[in-house]
Amino acid sequence: MLNPTLTTLTPEETPGTRTEPAKVDPIKTATGIYVSIHGHFYQPPRENPYLDAIERQPSASPFHDWNERIYHECYRPNAYARIFNDSGEVVGIVNNYEYLSFNIGATLMTWLERYDREVYNRILEADCKSAERLNGHGNAIAQVYNHIIIPLANERDKYTQIRWGKEDFRSRFGRDPEGMWLAETAVDYPTLEVLIAEGIKFIILAPSQAQRCRVIPRDQETETDWIEVGGAQIDPTRPYRCFLPDPQGGEDRQSIDIFFYDGPISRDMGFDDLLNNSHNLLGRLGLAIQGDGRPSQLLSVATDGETFGHHKGGTEKCLAYAFVSEFPKHGWTVTNFAHYLSISPPSWEVQLKPVTAWSCAHGVDRWQDDCGCGGGGGWHQKWRRPLRESLNWLRDQLTEIYEEQGRHLFLDPWQARDEYIKIVRDRSPENIDCFFRHHQIRPLTPLEEVDGLRLLEMQRHSLLMYTSCGWFFEELSRPEGVQILRYAARAIELAGDVAGVQLEREFIARLALAPSNVETFKDGAGVYRDLVQTDQISLEQVAAHYAISGLFTSYGPQQRVYCYDAYQRDYQLQRMGPLTLGVGQLQLVSEITRESVDLVFAVLHLGGWDFHCSIQPFTGRRAYTQMKEHLFGVLQEASAAHAILAMNEHFDGKSYNLRDLFAEERHRIMRLLSQETLMRLDQLYSQVYRDNYGIMMGFHRDELPVPKELQVAAEIALGHRCMESVLGLEQELGNAQADGQVMSAHLGELEAIATEAEHTRCHLYLPEATVILERSIWRSLWDLLHQVQPELLEADIQRLERLIAVGQRLNLGLSLERSQELYFYWLTGQLDRHGLPSVDTHMASGSAESFAISPGDPVQLRRLLLLGQTLRVHVTPQLEQLR
């Protein structure tokens, strides 16, 4: 049972003479019930520190990595959250970010910006729209840059983390942040002091972090009693002001405002069935309303943003319906913390416990001690304290190096570090040059600029190595712990490059004091040696990657290899029988540090998976030419042994092979090298399938299990035929002079394959085919809606419907979401001139105003609307208009 919406009596009203109250705009005046649901969207940084890219993570299969998997399960679904009717048809598409209060970690936003600009821009657009709706107060708030536990950071790192978080936010959202999310909501008073100094207006905390509260005294003579709320008993329906301790007792005390989210409801959102439907959510929130006659109250909850779709599949739909239907229907105003603060400033103050975080019952010991939080399976966390101390030691060593070397380059090294975030956001040569003009102590040489960038990168990695995830779980050797050690290793390497100091040996010795739960590693030193040092990458490895992959790719004069620019100064390739030899001169330039190296390489492919690649510095044109002529001369003998001996004469004997390629390219080449073998196997399995088709059907008729060998042969044979047809269909769709008969032939073949798969009870697992079919359906629909040819309309629609039907018959797990979105926005007149969504929509009204389809031929128009039914979009109101 929901508590009633709050109402108040005006001063003129008396019992028995109630008058109709004047309408009050809840956006401008605090009146009634407000709801703020906050999503903390964050993923730990997963990029390889040497490549500035995330490598494949098998545990995220079938996706490339965990960022990509959660993107498909959460980040994109919340940008295009569906609202369905009782028949399962789409009646609305909601951008949940327009209604959620949210923060998105800077490292995650950087990945989103690279991976999908459409969703990235939709998030930015949502903030703008929420600001328009809520008197200039957008939904987005900032976050400390890379999720470090701020109370455990030294003062300088506190400032940099907050300043980087602000600048990253400003560069994306085009405004200064009003609020900031603290990693794990970890806070103490020194942290508040820095936040206040940096102009942050409010933060969000857990109710367990408050110690006591009271009404703010009106003057010094009026004292109000403190109320102890240390057991998470603070009222979360109002904002609070927190004053910094002032030993002088002055009147102008510095302060910051704090919202405490409702703990029980937030916990139920994450761990119960509260998000199963919007009615449950509404009812649970309604129970939190205080019936004490206040003019307004704020129902605020906060949880990991990944709850909405990743941890709890499909729950973004619950949010969408609650935002645009359930809450408004009950007179509740969807708001954010900044807006509510602007219309309802705190009348209460709060004092916090000394140092706390939401996810640790022992202050912040989860990130520095064996406190038991995050443990499991009987494993200890005795490694936490030595890990923290080892990193603190390393940070202090790096600080000395940075100050000593940096004072020769920068006017103020620490101001340069604080503003280095501008380069992290934009590494263009023009921006880097501008940065140096502003911060250099004098005009720097190119080599000095490289050293300056190395120093700043060293400091960036010294911040990244404190990412909180490294301590959060039960074991140091988990991916999160290994990742922060990788950042430490990169910082150590950069320190050696710029200052010639060797810190790694001492660092490893200190890590040896961190006992691992895994016997294989024994301690942190073992983890570092086995999982960190083995992944370090040199420029020679980048060159070897380029050289080997160049045998299978035609590289141009300039080629991007992860965060390196590869300039091909010379390259020659020759084949002799089974041997292939490539020799070249290459310049590699790091986008991040501008360091450059000139190398020569020779790579010999002996056939199959055998490669022999050698790298050495370029020592001059004459020596390079002589080496090249000699190697190609030896190749004429067609002897692999002689070719390798000749290579060793010119190089230092160290060689690289296929295993030394970075994972993505290695896997691509492995697939290429396997194609011939797989083709022969496909032919063999196809022959087995054809020869034994009648036998298989006999087993099925008698309801007997088909021999495994025959079933596997059938699935492989049909899968191979399916992929060939899908690829042919895609190629034809991409052809400007596409032949309808050829496309129909491909479709007919797919329909035949689907029939055979049904008869033989084959299950085809073809994720690549699924992606291609989804893309083909979207492309066909786009062409249909934007390049309408009346005389071909019926044929085009029939072909599209056949494509959808056969994809579903093949049981490939086809998703029509993007095609649904395209059709829905076209139906409601919300596509821009490029055929992309121009604005967000709440609910498809079906009114004449929203029915933005050119009347044209009613028969053809009806046919287009019936296509919407195939796509499971609600078109009944529009169809009724044609009757």
Side-chain angles (χ1 to χ4, degrees):
M1 184 75 180
L2 294 178
N3 291 320
T5 302
L6 295 178
T7 56
T8 56
L9 295 178
T10 63
E12 294 78 19
E13 289 180 322
T14 58
T17 60
R18 185 177 179 88
T19 59
E20 193 66 30
K23 288 187 177 180
V24 177
D25 183 356
I27 300 300
K28 298 180 179 179
T29 305
T31 178
I33 299 299
Y34 294 79
V35 182
S36 181
I37 297 177
H38 184 84
H40 164 51
F41 293 91
Y42 168 72
Q43 290 299 306
R46 296 186 167 100
E47 285 76 9
N48 183 316
Y50 296 88
L51 303 178
D52 194 33
I54 300 176
E55 297 173 285
R56 182 174 297 278
Q57 296 176 305
S59 61
S61 181
F63 299 98
H64 176 273
D65 55 71
W66 278 99
N67 278 19
E68 184 179 301
R69 177 170 177 169
I70 299 170
Y71 160 86
H72 284 282
E73 295 173 349
C74 174
Y75 306 134
R76 191 179 196 283
N78 275 286
Y80 296 94
R82 301 311 202 255
I83 294 178
F84 296 109
N85 60 16
D86 292 339
S87 301
E89 297 174 321
V90 176
V91 297
I93 296 178
V94 178
N95 186 349
N96 278 347
Y97 300 103
E98 189 179 336
Y99 302 95
L100 275 170
S101 167
F102 66 87
N103 69 282
I104 302 181
T107 51
L108 174 57
M109 278 294 268
T110 298
W111 180 87
L112 280 171
E113 186 178 16
R114 293 175 178 177
Y115 184 78
D116 190 340
R117 286 301 293 261
E118 180 187 354
V119 169
Y120 175 80
N121 288 333
R122 200 155 166 87
I123 292 170
L124 303 187
E125 177 191 31
D127 181 70
C128 289
K129 289 185 176 180
S130 63
E132 293 171 3
R133 179 170 56 89
L134 298 172
N135 288 344
H137 301 282
N139 285 343
I141 67 171
Q143 177 193 294
V144 292
Y145 184 73
N146 65 276
H147 215 266
I148 75 170
I149 303 302
I150 290 288
L152 293 177
N154 63 25
E155 184 179 30
R156 186 176 283 127
D157 286 358
K158 281 185 173 75
Y159 273 101
T160 299
Q161 281 282 328
I162 292 170
R163 287 170 180 169
W164 280 22
K166 287 173 54 183
E167 177 58 31
D168 185 89
F169 182 95
R170 187 184 300 114
S171 70
R172 300 180 192 280
F173 293 98
R175 61 181 178 86
D176 288 324
E178 297 184 76
M180 178 164 281
W181 182 267
L182 302 176
E184 305 296 330
T185 70
V187 72
D188 60 1
Y189 277 95
T191 297
L192 296 184
E193 187 175 349
V194 178
L195 290 166
I196 293 169
E198 288 301 306
I200 299 300
K201 296 179 181 179
F202 70 87
I203 58 174
I204 306 161
L205 298 180
S208 60
Q209 295 176 267
Q211 182 63 58
R212 57 181 187 166
C213 62
R214 67 174 180 178
V215 174
I216 299 176
R218 295 183 179 179
D219 51 56
Q220 287 185 317
E221 286 72 30
T222 305
E223 279 294 325
T224 56
D225 294 332
W226 287 99
I227 301 172
E228 296 296 325
V229 292
Q233 297 168 318
I234 195 164
D235 178 3
T237 63
R238 57 163 61 96
Y240 295 83
R241 184 150 292 165
C242 185
F243 294 94
L244 295 182
D246 184 0
Q248 306 301 322
E251 294 184 14
D252 298 326
R253 292 184 296 165
Q254 291 184 311
S255 65
I256 189 170
D257 294 333
I258 299 176
F259 290 90
F260 295 93
Y261 60 78
D262 188 299
I265 300 179
S266 299
R267 186 165 50 250
D268 288 348
M269 289 179 69
F271 301 102
D272 209 337
D273 61 357
L274 192 57
L275 295 172
N276 282 5
N277 62 68
S278 58
H279 183 73
N280 285 355
L281 178 61
L282 180 85
R284 185 69 177 86
L285 286 167
L287 294 175
I289 298 174
Q290 304 290 320
D292 55 7
R294 273 182 274 160
S296 72
Q297 290 181 33
L298 175 68
L299 306 179
S300 66
V301 292
T303 189
D304 289 341
E306 289 74 18
T307 299
F308 311 124
H310 172 56
H311 299 312
K312 292 181 173 294
T315 52
E316 77 283 348
K317 302 178 185 68
C318 166
L319 282 186
Y321 192 72
F323 285 142
V324 303
S325 181
E326 289 281 14
F327 295 160
K329 185 167 61 179
H330 287 78
W332 295 2
T333 302
V334 179
T335 187
N336 60 48
F337 295 108
H339 169 252
Y340 191 75
L341 199 60
S342 71
I343 60 175
S344 181
S347 58
W348 285 63
E349 67 174 300
V350 66
Q351 289 184 353
L352 302 179
K353 296 175 183 177
V355 55
T356 54
W358 82 265
S359 54
C360 181
H362 315 91
V364 291
D365 284 350
R366 185 168 189 160
W367 299 275
Q368 65 177 352
D369 257 324
D370 183 11
C371 70
C373 291
W379 281 8
H380 65 74
Q381 294 85 49
K382 295 178 182 178
W383 51 271
R384 283 177 175 166
R385 172 65 66 177
L387 175 62
R388 171 72 58 177
E389 291 176 346
S390 298
L391 293 177
N392 285 347
W393 172 84
L394 178 58
R395 176 199 61 201
D396 294 342
Q397 299 300 309
L398 298 174
T399 295
E400 291 181 14
I401 294 168
Y402 182 70
E403 288 183 328
E404 172 61 28
Q405 301 295 324
R407 65 186 178 89
H408 300 298
L409 304 173
F410 302 122
L411 293 168
D412 182 340
W414 295 110
Q415 183 183 359
R417 184 181 85 158
D418 285 342
E419 296 189 15
Y420 180 57
I421 181 61
K422 295 180 179 179
I423 291 183
V424 175
R425 287 288 297 125
D426 174 11
R427 294 190 183 277
S428 66
E430 299 78 13
N431 193 47
I432 294 175
D433 291 341
C434 179
F435 176 87
F436 276 116
R437 285 195 298 271
H438 183 67
H439 289 285
Q440 63 192 3
I441 199 167
R442 53 176 168 74
L444 302 180
T445 67
L447 288 178
E448 287 175 324
E449 288 185 354
V450 168
D451 278 344
L453 290 171
R454 283 171 169 165
L455 285 170
L456 291 163
E457 270 297 289
M458 178 188 77
Q459 283 297 302
R460 183 172 77 93
H461 284 86
S462 77
L463 293 169
L464 290 170
M465 71 188 186
Y466 282 109
T467 302
S468 69
C469 319
W471 287 266
F472 193 80
F473 300 103
E474 73 280 3
E475 166 56 20
L476 172 58
S477 60
R478 279 179 56 101
E480 299 84 2
V482 172
Q483 183 72 8
I484 66 172
L485 289 178
R486 294 173 86 188
Y487 290 129
R490 180 60 177 148
I492 289 171
E493 184 178 73
L494 289 164
D497 289 342
V498 77
V501 297
Q502 301 301 318
L503 301 173
E504 190 171 58
R505 181 177 298 176
E506 176 66 18
F507 183 62
I508 292 175
R510 290 173 179 270
L511 286 176
L513 300 176
S516 169
N517 290 284
V518 180
E519 181 61 29
T520 305
F521 303 117
K522 292 186 171 57
D523 52 40
V527 172
Y528 188 89
R529 282 191 292 263
D530 292 351
L531 301 180
V532 177
Q533 284 183 323
T534 55
D535 279 347
Q536 291 176 312
I537 294 171
S538 65
L539 288 174
E540 286 76 14
Q541 283 176 271
V542 178
H545 175 95
Y546 177 94
I548 296 174
S549 62
L551 297 177
F552 301 89
T553 304
S554 297
Y555 286 145
Q558 181 179 352
Q559 178 69 35
R560 188 59 175 260
V561 182
Y562 292 97
C563 57
Y564 299 92
D565 285 318
Y567 297 92
Q568 188 183 100
R569 303 306 185 196
D570 183 69
Y571 185 67
Q572 188 172 344
L573 182 72
Q574 286 189 15
R575 303 183 192 279
M576 184 62 63
L579 303 180
T580 302
L581 176 66
V583 180
Q585 179 196 347
L586 177 70
Q587 182 187 27
L588 285 176
V589 180
S590 168
E591 178 200 35
I592 294 176
T593 63
R594 281 189 171 180
E595 59 185 310
S596 173
V597 62
D598 287 289
L599 300 166
V600 296
F601 63 82
V603 55
L604 180 68
H605 183 202
L606 294 85
W609 295 32
D610 287 338
F611 295 83
H612 186 86
C613 178
S614 298
I615 309 291
Q616 71 177 17
F618 175 74
T619 56
R621 176 62 56 189
R622 183 169 177 269
Y624 168 71
T625 303
Q626 290 177 342
M627 179 267 292
K628 182 171 65 170
E629 291 176 352
H630 179 218
L631 292 182
F632 284 123
V634 172
L635 183 67
Q636 302 303 313
E637 302 174 20
S639 168
H642 288 175
I644 292 174
L645 286 174
M647 288 172 65
N648 290 339
E649 287 180 28
H650 294 279
F651 295 87
D652 60 6
K654 182 179 179 181
S655 67
Y656 300 88
N657 56 41
L658 189 60
R659 290 192 301 272
D660 295 303
L661 263 68
F662 306 140
E664 306 297 322
E665 188 67 9
R666 181 171 69 249
H667 297 160
R668 185 183 75 87
I669 292 176
M670 287 166 61
R671 287 191 294 270
L672 286 173
L673 293 173
S674 302
Q675 277 184 353
E676 185 177 344
T677 300
L678 291 175
M679 186 176 299
R680 289 199 300 268
L681 287 172
D682 283 332
Q683 293 171 352
L684 176 62
Y685 280 118
S686 296
Q687 186 66 45
V688 171
Y689 170 58
R690 287 194 299 269
D691 292 346
N692 293 277
Y693 178 80
I695 296 174
M696 287 184 64
M697 296 310 297
F699 276 99
H700 285 309
R701 279 195 303 272
D702 292 340
E703 296 296 326
L704 295 173
V706 176
K708 182 178 179 181
E709 295 81 358
L710 296 182
Q711 191 68 32
V712 168
E715 291 179 354
I716 292 175
L718 291 176
H720 178 66
R721 280 174 56 195
C722 183
M723 275 304 306
E724 285 188 331
S725 295
V726 166
L727 289 170
L729 182 65
E730 182 185 41
Q731 183 177 3
E732 195 62 31
L733 283 171
N735 184 0
Q737 306 298 323
D739 187 328
Q741 290 185 340
V742 174
M743 284 192 286
S744 293
H746 285 303
L747 272 172
E749 171 66 359
L750 287 173
E751 288 165 343
I753 293 168
T755 300
E756 285 190 55
E758 290 164 359
H759 288 168
T760 55
R761 303 177 191 176
C762 287
H763 301 284
L764 305 183
Y765 178 69
L766 301 169
E768 185 179 352
T770 303
V771 172
I772 294 173
L773 279 176
E774 290 171 355
R775 188 165 58 231
S776 299
I777 291 169
W778 187 93
R779 174 65 184 272
S780 298
L781 179 62
W782 196 97
D783 289 343
L784 178 70
L785 297 177
H786 295 84
Q787 301 172 14
V788 177
Q789 300 181 52
E791 68 278 7
L792 299 177
L793 183 65
E794 178 61 29
D796 290 341
I797 291 177
Q798 286 185 6
R799 189 180 300 117
L800 179 56
E801 290 177 336
R802 286 177 67 192
L803 187 56
I804 294 170
V806 76
Q808 293 169 339
R809 285 184 61 198
L810 287 166
N811 293 315
L812 296 178
L814 206 63
S815 170
L816 298 178
E817 287 190 349
R818 298 205 179 200
S819 295
Q820 275 183 342
E821 291 156 10
L822 176 63
Y823 185 91
F824 180 84
Y825 287 120
W826 170 82
L827 179 71
T828 54
Q830 298 181 71
L831 292 180
D832 64 18
R833 61 188 178 88
H834 303 295
L836 300 173
S838 57
V839 293
D840 191 21
T841 182
H842 299 170
M843 303 286 284
S845 64
S847 66
E849 290 77 10
S850 70
F851 184 25
I853 303 176
S854 176
D857 183 342
V859 175
Q860 291 187 333
L861 187 55
R862 181 178 181 80
R863 190 68 184 86
L864 280 169
L865 291 173
L866 291 175
L867 174 62
Q869 292 182 334
T870 302
L871 292 167
R872 304 297 294 158
V873 175
H874 183 57
V875 293
T876 302
Q878 289 86 348
L879 282 169
E880 289 178 348
Q881 292 181 43
L882 295 178
R883 290 180 180 175

